[in-house]
Amino acid sequence: MSIQEQVTQVHSLYDTILILDFGSQYSHLIARRIREFGVYCEMLPCTQKIKGLQFEPRGVILSGSPYSVYDKDAPRVDPEIFNLGVPILGICYGLQEIAWNHGGSVAPCNNREYGHALMKVDKHQGHPFVDRLFDGIEDSIQVWMSHGDQLDKAPEGFKVIGHTLTAPFSAIAHEEKHLFGIQFHPEVTHTPLGKEILKNFVINICECKTNWTMKSFIDNEIARIQQIIGPNGQVVGAVSGGVDSTVAARLMKEAIGDRFHAILVDNGLMRLNECETVKKNLGDHLGINLKVVDASEIFLDRLKGVTDPEKKRKIIGNTFIEVFESEALKIDQETKETGHCRIEYLLQGTLYPDVIESVSFKGPSATIKTHHNVGGLLEDMKLKLIEPLRELFKDEVRELGKTLKLDDELIWRHPFPGPGIAIRILGEVTPSQVAIVRAADHIYIDEIKKAGLYRKISQAYAALLPVKAVGVMGDKRTYEQVITLRAVETVDFMTADWYSFPYDVLKKISNRIINEVKGVNRVVYDISSKPPATIEL
Ligand SMILES: Nc1ncnc2c1ncn2[C@@H]1O[C@H](COP(=O)(O)OP(=O)(O)OP(=O)(O)O)[C@@H](O)[C@H]1O
Ligand SMILES: O=c1[nH]c(=O)c2[nH+]cn([C@@H]3O[C@H](COP(=O)(O)O)[C@@H](O)[C@H]3O)c2[nH]1
Ligand SMILES: NC(=O)CC[C@H](N)C(=O)O
Ligand SMILES: [Mg+2]
């Protein structure tokens, strides 16, 4: 079977929901919820032309957006979508966009709704289709809203299927055209019955089959990679030993075999003995021959005198790419005789949270942190990126890892950021500061493991604060640095709570760090949740 045929087969095996993304912070959550039902979905930019679609969706969802439909430069859906003849659900901006396209009126409202609201469900006897969206929901529901505009008139032919005290057209539907619009966000957990509503749309209204699984994601991704890379293409891979890049590498290996060249860059900012351990693990478990490139001097040299964490990330991101580009040239030379093409692609294990926090859709959503692998890339980089996990959340990648039969230890490894210890030293990064963090972190993680808490905590690390404090050791005054410990619990790393440690474990950790790590006389524990803090510093 040709690759094109394999791709087409995906769409014949699985019913597809098309999500058109207007740039909401929650667009990917919609995709994630739908995949949880076992239904395949694809998310494309809202500018997608219907003529150019390579598949026939069973239904379409229009996401929310930071824009207002009446803005001059507001993103617009291709009106052809309304001639597809499949059910369409608009969420927030999506609702407003449906109304806008059908002669409804949308305007800024006096009673903006941000947060919880109670929506009264309006049923319509004799119009069975419009009632399907809120099937199983009686009377009223708790919903989560985030809008400053609202409909002040329902478009012609639409029925009102829900209203709140201040928004009379919170939910509308068209019996014959199978169009639905809701002002609230069903994709966030703050709408407790949101999942049921999405399920009603996807399964009861669009009648999608629920046969999509992680196994099919894998097959689909492998086919896609083969199609992109071609029969002779080669790929260089950024592989850190973390679960994301390991899963990505595993898919790539499966897709193109030895034409995949995995590289671990030792940037001098890794944890104790990390490079050796990772090389061994990936070789032993996955048969991936990992080349470790020692570039620690260049990285540490470029970080001299730099204290701003964003600058550190950019320097590290850029230097990573330089190393990969120079390694790719070396591999091109070495494989010249094989008939394989020159390396065009760089594989990265980028996940959705890396993307959403680093870049913004057409500008307005805020950049939180430039993850080195997204916003920290070289502007004129020659290698093109291939990122099979770019749409997934961490827990989905772990699920994928399980399906790929990766070792539990690897799947449940705490994430470790690419810029590593550099962003865990507030202030200048020097070899002696790196050594302090490395030693403290090693003790911290060791004690967490000994206490049997490693799997309960989602991510833990030690970091160095840029301050000194007075202490007394062996009757002598000390004036040394402060280690801060962080441990969080989270599912998707988008929000997180600090971990509530048993005191005796903290006591032991603090004691060991102060005794064993020279240059430290205090240990503090970070009790900030995300938001408003972030997981890293
Ligand atoms: N030292 C490194 N050498 C090569 N590539 C790296 C290195 N550190 C990070 N990367 C690349 O940057 C990507 C993002 O890093 P990140 O730490 O988010 O993911 P990960 O290391 O694969 O998984 P985890 O989040 O579990 O640590 C990685 O997937 C990998 O492609
Ligand atoms: O590869 C990475 N490069 C980065 O620049 C980076 N910054 C944060 N992280 C990791 O992302 C997750 C969320 O972290 P934050 O709450 O600090 O944004 C956590 O798991 C962080 O460890 C990074 N990973
Ligand atoms: N969350 C949204 O989609 C908001 C849509 C629009 N910007 C409003 O404020 O109403
Ligand atoms: Mg990592």
Side-chain angles (χ1 to χ4, degrees):
M1 196 184 349
S2 79
I3 301 302
Q4 185 54 48
E5 281 165 346
Q6 287 182 47
V7 174
T8 316
Q9 194 193 40
V10 171
H11 290 288
S12 63
L13 285 176
Y14 310 108
D15 292 337
T16 308
I17 292 286
L18 168 65
I19 300 166
L20 290 176
D21 177 25
F22 288 82
S24 155
Q25 294 264 329
Y26 311 114
S27 298
H28 277 74
L29 280 182
I30 308 174
R32 182 184 167 154
R33 294 281 166 267
I34 293 175
R35 293 195 297 243
E36 279 168 6
F37 308 147
V39 172
Y40 183 64
C41 62
E42 286 201 11
M43 187 155 108
L44 297 173
C46 56
T47 45
Q48 172 68 40
K49 290 277 170 275
I50 298 310
K51 244 184 161 175
L53 262 189
Q54 292 188 334
F55 59 94
E56 287 176 29
R58 294 284 304 191
V60 181
I61 296 182
L62 312 181
S63 81
S65 174
Y67 283 85
S68 290
V69 282
Y70 48 77
D71 286 343
K72 253 210 321 272
D73 57 346
R76 289 268 92 93
V77 71
D78 178 0
E80 270 306 305
I81 193 101
F82 299 109
N83 297 327
L84 271 176
V86 298
I88 299 178
L89 170 68
I91 296 175
C92 200
Y93 183 94
L95 152 78
Q96 298 164 3
E97 179 69 357
I98 291 178
W100 189 257
N101 275 274
H102 290 82
S105 155
V106 180
C109 52
N110 295 332
N111 300 292
R112 300 181 310 173
E113 290 175 300
Y114 295 102
H116 289 285
L118 190 70
M119 194 188 78
K120 173 103 184 54
V121 173
D122 301 302
K123 302 270 179 185
H124 297 270
Q125 285 217 335
H127 294 86
F129 214 86
V130 299
D131 281 347
R132 282 199 197 173
L133 191 64
F134 298 138
D135 221 12
I137 297 167
E138 296 305 323
D139 200 41
S140 52
I141 44 168
Q142 275 295 329
V143 296
W144 194 80
M145 298 274 200
S146 177
H147 68 113
D149 302 327
Q150 70 186 37
L151 264 61
D152 46 29
K153 188 174 116 218
E156 183 83 24
F158 280 76
K159 297 251 176 291
V160 176
I161 56 171
H163 66 273
T164 68
L165 273 180
T166 56
F169 309 102
S170 299
I172 58 170
H174 196 294
E175 178 77 14
E176 291 78 30
K177 292 188 175 158
H178 298 183
L179 301 177
F180 296 84
I182 49 183
Q183 188 61 76
F184 62 90
H185 289 268
E187 69 276 28
V188 302
T189 48
H190 309 291
T191 298
L193 291 176
K195 246 187 176 175
E196 301 311 311
I197 294 165
L198 285 174
K199 206 184 243 176
N200 280 344
F201 179 71
V202 168
I203 298 168
N204 299 347
I205 295 172
C206 301
E207 300 178 346
C208 288
K209 286 188 288 227
T210 54
N211 58 347
W212 185 81
T213 57
M214 275 297 167
K215 169 84 177 65
S216 44
F217 175 87
I218 294 170
D219 295 343
N220 189 15
E221 236 4 77
I222 290 175
R224 202 179 66 90
I225 293 170
Q226 288 171 335
Q227 188 184 33
I228 295 170
I229 307 303
N232 296 312
Q234 299 196 88
V235 174
V236 69
V239 177
S240 66
V243 60
D244 314 337
S245 50
T246 305
V247 167
R250 181 64 203 270
L251 288 174
M252 192 51 85
K253 177 98 204 303
E254 217 46 56
I256 63 167
D258 289 344
R259 289 180 287 130
F260 172 55
H261 308 274
I263 290 175
L264 170 78
V265 178
D266 181 354
N267 52 12
L269 305 160
M270 308 287 276
R271 289 167 294 190
L272 207 63
N273 307 327
E274 185 152 25
C275 296
E276 302 78 15
T277 321
V278 169
K279 183 168 167 59
K280 188 168 180 319
N281 281 350
L282 291 203
D284 286 357
H285 297 309
L286 299 177
I288 292 174
N289 187 12
L290 186 70
K291 179 173 178 189
V292 179
V293 177
D294 181 2
S296 47
E297 256 181 54
I298 317 171
F299 279 89
L300 291 176
D301 199 48
R302 290 188 182 171
L303 287 168
K304 267 191 194 143
V306 181
T307 53
D308 175 20
E310 277 296 279
K311 275 209 189 109
K312 289 179 186 170
R313 282 191 167 83
K314 286 237 158 89
I315 292 172
I316 293 166
N318 287 348
T319 310
F320 262 129
I321 299 296
E322 271 179 42
V323 174
F324 291 125
E325 294 201 321
S326 102
E327 285 305 311
L329 288 178
K330 285 188 203 155
I331 297 165
D332 284 341
Q333 279 301 323
E334 286 160 19
T335 56
K336 225 167 157 186
E337 310 295 319
T338 58
H340 295 155
C341 304
R342 295 177 51 155
I343 295 178
E344 268 186 84
Y345 283 94
L346 169 68
L347 170 89
Q348 287 202 132
T350 306
L351 298 194
Y352 185 58
D354 305 349
V355 179
I356 196 166
E357 295 195 345
S358 293
V359 290
S360 56
F361 170 89
K362 286 175 92 187
S365 73
T367 298
I368 314 273
K369 227 175 236 183
T370 308
H371 284 218
H372 79 280
N373 49 323
V374 184
L377 298 169
L378 263 184
E379 272 174 24
D380 60 347
M381 74 185 267
K382 291 173 205 74
L383 292 169
K384 289 183 257 176
L385 291 179
I386 182 157
E387 301 179 313
L389 314 177
R390 200 179 163 91
E391 308 231 318
L392 302 188
F393 290 84
K394 193 81 179 189
D395 48 331
E396 291 180 309
V397 172
R398 291 197 157 128
E399 185 80 35
L400 205 59
K402 261 193 241 158
T403 314
L404 288 166
K405 304 212 163 33
L406 299 190
D407 245 35
D408 257 15
E409 205 172 308
L410 213 161
I411 293 174
W412 291 104
R413 229 173 93 115
H414 290 180
F416 180 67
I421 288 176
I423 53 169
R424 294 176 176 178
I425 294 170
L426 290 181
E428 189 183 355
V429 180
T430 62
S432 60
Q433 296 288 71
V434 173
I436 290 178
V437 177
R438 224 174 235 163
D441 189 77
H442 192 71
I443 294 170
Y444 184 35
I445 302 297
D446 185 43
E447 287 301 328
I448 287 176
K449 285 186 176 160
K450 278 191 196 149
L453 302 175
Y454 190 78
R455 281 281 287 274
K456 292 204 175 98
I457 296 169
S458 311
Q459 184 169 4
Y461 67 84
L464 198 52
L465 298 179
V467 286
K468 283 190 163 186
V470 176
V472 51
M473 280 166 133
D475 283 344
K476 269 221 272 277
R477 176 188 190 270
T478 59
Y479 188 52
E480 307 276 25
Q481 301 192 90
V482 181
I483 282 285
T484 174
L485 305 176
R486 183 100 167 113
V488 295
E489 285 178 290
T490 170
V491 175
D492 56 16
F493 293 81
M494 299 288 284
T495 57
D497 280 326
W498 54 276
Y499 180 69
S500 184
F501 265 112
Y503 282 146
D504 58 330
V505 179
L506 278 179
K507 201 175 194 172
K508 194 149 180 218
I509 293 165
S510 155
N511 204 275
R512 272 195 67 193
I513 292 177
I514 293 173
N515 281 330
E516 294 174 37
V517 184
K518 267 220 169 103
V520 173
N521 67 359
R522 256 163 224 260
V523 172
V524 297
Y525 185 51
D526 186 341
I527 50 166
S528 339
S529 58
K530 171 182 178 175
T534 52
I535 295 173
E536 299 291 339
L537 293 171

